[in-house]
Amino acid sequence: MEIVTGGAGFIAQTLIRRLLEEGQDVLALDNLVRGSLDYLKPFEAHPAFAFRNVDCSDKAALSDAVRSIDLGPGPHHIWHLAANSDIGAGNADMTIDLRDTFLTTVASVELAQAIGAARFHFASTSAIYGDHQGRGLAEDDGPLEPISNYGAMKLASEATIRAAVERFLPKADIFRFPNVVGLPATHGAMMDFVLKLKRDPSRLDVLGDGRQQKPYLHVTELVDAMLFISRTAQDRYNVFNIGPKDDGALVSFMAKTVRDIVSPGADIVFGEGDRGWVGDVPRVSFKIDRLTGLGWTPTMSSEQAVVRAAGEIASALGAA
Amino acid sequence: MEIVTGGAGFIAQTLIRRLLEEGQDVLALDNLVRGSLDYLKPFEAHPAFAFRNVDCSDKAALSDAVRSIDLGPGPHHIWHLAANSDIGAGNADMTIDLRDTFLTTVASVELAQAIGAARFHFASTSAIYGDHQGRGLAEDDGPLEPISNYGAMKLASEATIRAAVERFLPKADIFRFPNVVGLPATHGAMMDFVLKLKRDPSRLDVLGDGRQQKPYLHVTELVDAMLFISRTAQDRYNVFNIGPKDDGALVSFMAKTVRDIVSPGADIVFGEGDRGWVGDVPRVSFKIDRLTGLGWTPTMSSEQAVVRAAGEIASALGAA
């Protein structure tokens, strides 16, 4: 059984589609606070798909939810995607990332032990590195100094999984995500831009001066890389940066791309400073040499991913 | 006010003595599960000393305990020492380090915010690095791959504190401890050896083959380094390895040292393998160049620290 926490969230929709296409049984788990059953509509009639509404940070509830399903003979794989996705909210109230980003990991690791999971896949993030002023970061580089509670609780999760590999877990894959764009539109700067332009077609206000540069990957490529790593990496503990080959696209490029699709006549009004919010890393750059060395290479650049996703999101939100 | 979590524990006794000698007001907080009021006897009549029995992982209880004291005008400094100290127990039940090593940090950071603490001092550990086969590790080195829940929850704590510096904390010092020896004897291999020889003066069983090599520091030197760093390091976020200048002493050296003091005729019987328990890092070596560069150098070698502490512990336990 492929068990997906945060199963009604952004990344999960593409992952579940791929897993079902490959003939796997899938159990999606989500408390529907940030996720939505709408994202699971394409699968609800699929005989190999099941969903349970459960708070994945609640160890006992998670265990009960999984035990309500016939998991079959295995092997069982956990895809732990559940997390807070609102970095600003998590900085204002640290209990949010503690519960939704970290305690979901603790409960998922305990679930892995209880069901004898063969493999644990984890959605980590470039935010665990912190602000390295755009220095290209490889997986073994330090120091690791996350500047948001979100990044801190993702690093805490990695550490917990690493210790679990020492204790009982046969294999774990850590995927360090870049900024990911695509459908369904659930959160993030691109969706914000589309919604702002729907409200006021004459003007797009951007947090920060637009010069923040970040690597973007389209969600279809991200999931492709996750599946590739999960089947190819052979160590017991595998850590991979996943991202584009370039150093990223500027926020100003994203703003112009969305503006040109949604409301070509709008003025773009930039704010001040190089950070959109506390915990925002202005320049992110990380190396994917380990991933390309394993044999997977992205096909889209950051800008291409932004352009494609902007079209998809504008269309989905009825703004194109 | 100097607020010390884990205030009735091993390191705290020496820290509190030094702080009181320097004329500071001290509030010790401890749930007395692993700590003991015995260790605080030397201070109980001191007018600048106060103690509260409280579970430091319980945010509300911690807040209440601190509010029951007149903290004075400040500045307030938090010395966060509370943690699980039984690594094996923490690996058998991950809720132990989750609560005692990590949630104590979360509650202490929230306390720092609530009282406007000027500085946060944290007892971290070489265990956050994981097993690097004796490669000398500097503070900025990666990867960080703790192999015990204890190490994982210490790394989670560092990450939480780093994010707090971004959010509100004026200054934080992270002290990465080596193995620390000295009085009061609360836990650890040296105390185990003394107690085993008291039970059976003819034989000392040692976990592992005795070839594990670890840096040891005497608790008096550790606390001296902590105070030095707290007054000298000027960055908002300061991370320092604290340890001896050498690569450590062998467990076999510690066993012979204790045997020669407690029961010179005893046979030492080594086990098999290079790990005493799951999560035991067989060879630990880390660099203290940053600390010596700041101006502090240990006076004792690892072996000297072991010899001094063995005499102290054997004497305190009535075994010398």
Side-chain angles (χ1 to χ4, degrees), chain B residues 1 3 10 19-20 54 77 80 137 140 142 158-159 162 200 229 231 238 252-253 277 280 285 316:
Chain B
M1 180 67 75
I3 300 171
F10 167 39
L19 290 169
L20 290 172
V54 60
H77 300 148
H80 173 44
L137 292 161
D140 287 352
E158 286 197 12
R162 178 61 188 82
D200 181 353
I229 293 165
R231 282 131 198 203
N238 304 289
S252 59
F253 176 85
W277 57 86
D280 187 26
S285 170

Side-chain angles (χ1 to χ4, degrees), chain B residues 56-80:
Chain B
C56 294
S57 72
D58 182 333
K59 184 166 63 171
L62 186 64
S63 174
D64 288 348
V66 171
R67 275 190 290 193
S68 74
I69 298 278
D70 176 8
L71 295 181
H76 307 309
H77 300 148
I78 293 177
W79 300 83
H80 173 44

